[in-house]
């Protein structure tokens, strides 16, 4: 008699447990619940990406500072004067050419071309 009562109670408890599990799973698979889960995951992913971006930015600043120290460069806040442009002097220098200028000042063939 006690044996039958034990197994009856065990079966009833297992049934209640299984029914509860199934109902929870069904509630989690409803559209409203799925949308809420997706939104939570999206917010969590956004926070993780933001933390990652901040870590990358901090690492970049640290590495840039290390490179400036290693190369002996000035601090990023210090502004140095750029050297004067030498392009004007380079452009004004005459370069030899294979073309000779004629009486009108227009360049023409010199006869030394390989055609």
């Amino acid at each position: 008699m006690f044996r039958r009562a034990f197994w009856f109670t065990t079966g009833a408890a297992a049934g209640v447990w299984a029914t509860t599990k199934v109902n929870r799973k069904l509630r989690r698979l409803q559209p409203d619940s799925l949308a809420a889960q997706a939104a939570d995951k999206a917010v969590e992913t956004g926070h993780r990406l933001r933390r990652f971006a901040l870590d990358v930015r901090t690492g970049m600043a640290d590495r840039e500072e290390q490179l400036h120290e290693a190369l002996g460069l000035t601090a990023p806040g210090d502004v140095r004067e750029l050297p004067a442009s030498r392009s004007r002097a380079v452009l004004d220098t005459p370069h030899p050419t294979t073309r000779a200028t004629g009486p009108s000042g227009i360049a023409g063939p010199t006869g030394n071309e390989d055609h």
Side-chain angles (χ1 to χ4, degrees):
M1 178 82 166
F2 289 112
R3 222 179 201 178
R4 287 183 185 173
F6 170 76
W7 287 115
F8 177 77
T9 307
T10 303
V16 169
W17 177 78
T19 304
T20 304
K21 276 287 227 197
V22 168
N23 283 336
R24 283 184 190 164
K25 189 59 98 172
L26 287 175
R27 267 187 262 129
R28 288 183 68 198
L29 293 176
Q30 288 180 346
D32 294 340
S33 179
L34 290 175
Q37 288 176 10
D40 290 343
K41 291 289 183 183
V43 168
E44 181 182 334
T45 302
H47 289 306
R48 285 183 181 178
L49 285 173
R50 185 165 190 254
R51 280 193 305 253
F52 175 73
L54 290 174
D55 288 345
V56 168
R57 204 174 288 163
T58 302
M60 285 180 4
D62 291 344
R63 183 63 179 149
E64 186 175 354
E65 184 178 323
Q66 290 172 358
L67 289 173
H68 278 276
E69 289 174 5
L71 297 174
L73 300 174
T74 60
D78 298 342
V79 178
R80 291 192 307 174
E81 185 78 24
L82 292 175
S85 176
R86 297 184 340 174
S87 61
R88 177 60 75 190
V90 171
L91 291 176
D92 290 342
T93 316
H95 294 287
T97 177
T98 57
R99 296 178 136 320
T101 55
S104 64
I106 300 174
T110 62
N112 297 333
E113 293 86 7
D114 294 330
H115 292 293

